[in-house]
Amino acid sequence: MDAAEYARVAELVRSVRHDANNPLTAAIGHVQLLLEDPAVHDPEVLESLRVVEAELRRLTEIIRRLAVIRTPDAPAGPPAGA
């Protein structure tokens, strides 16, 4: 892969990370609110919400790990938002 191709891939990854973080954060927040809602007391529903929360957190971690892919002109140091 030449430098121009790498730069395009790195920019795509950066864009996907940025665009995916906002809805993931919102979804985790809504699931947490539902888990704390006293009106939600069915054990099966609570377990399903816990599974959804765990999978959203797993996806957040996968996206966080994509921070190792940097654009060639990115400054050295820890990735932004890490």
Side-chain angles (χ1 to χ4, degrees):
M1 175 181 306
D2 68 16
E5 288 177 279
Y6 181 84
R8 284 192 299 276
V9 169
E11 180 57 28
L12 174 64
V13 169
R14 187 204 63 76
S15 179
V16 168
R17 284 186 67 232
H18 175 77
D19 292 345
N21 275 325
N22 290 336
L24 277 173
T25 301
I28 290 170
H30 284 285
V31 169
Q32 289 173 334
L33 288 172
L34 287 168
L35 284 167
E36 294 174 8
D37 188 338
V40 180
H41 49 76
D42 183 309
E44 288 182 30
V45 171
L46 290 169
E47 180 56 27
S48 291
L49 288 169
R50 287 185 194 100
V51 169
V52 169
E53 181 185 26
E55 292 303 312
L56 289 170
R57 288 189 183 283
R58 190 172 80 111
L59 185 53
T60 300
E61 176 58 23
I62 291 167
I63 290 172
R64 187 196 65 76
R65 289 193 321 248
L66 290 174
V68 298
I69 299 173
R70 296 184 168 279
T71 53
D73 60 342

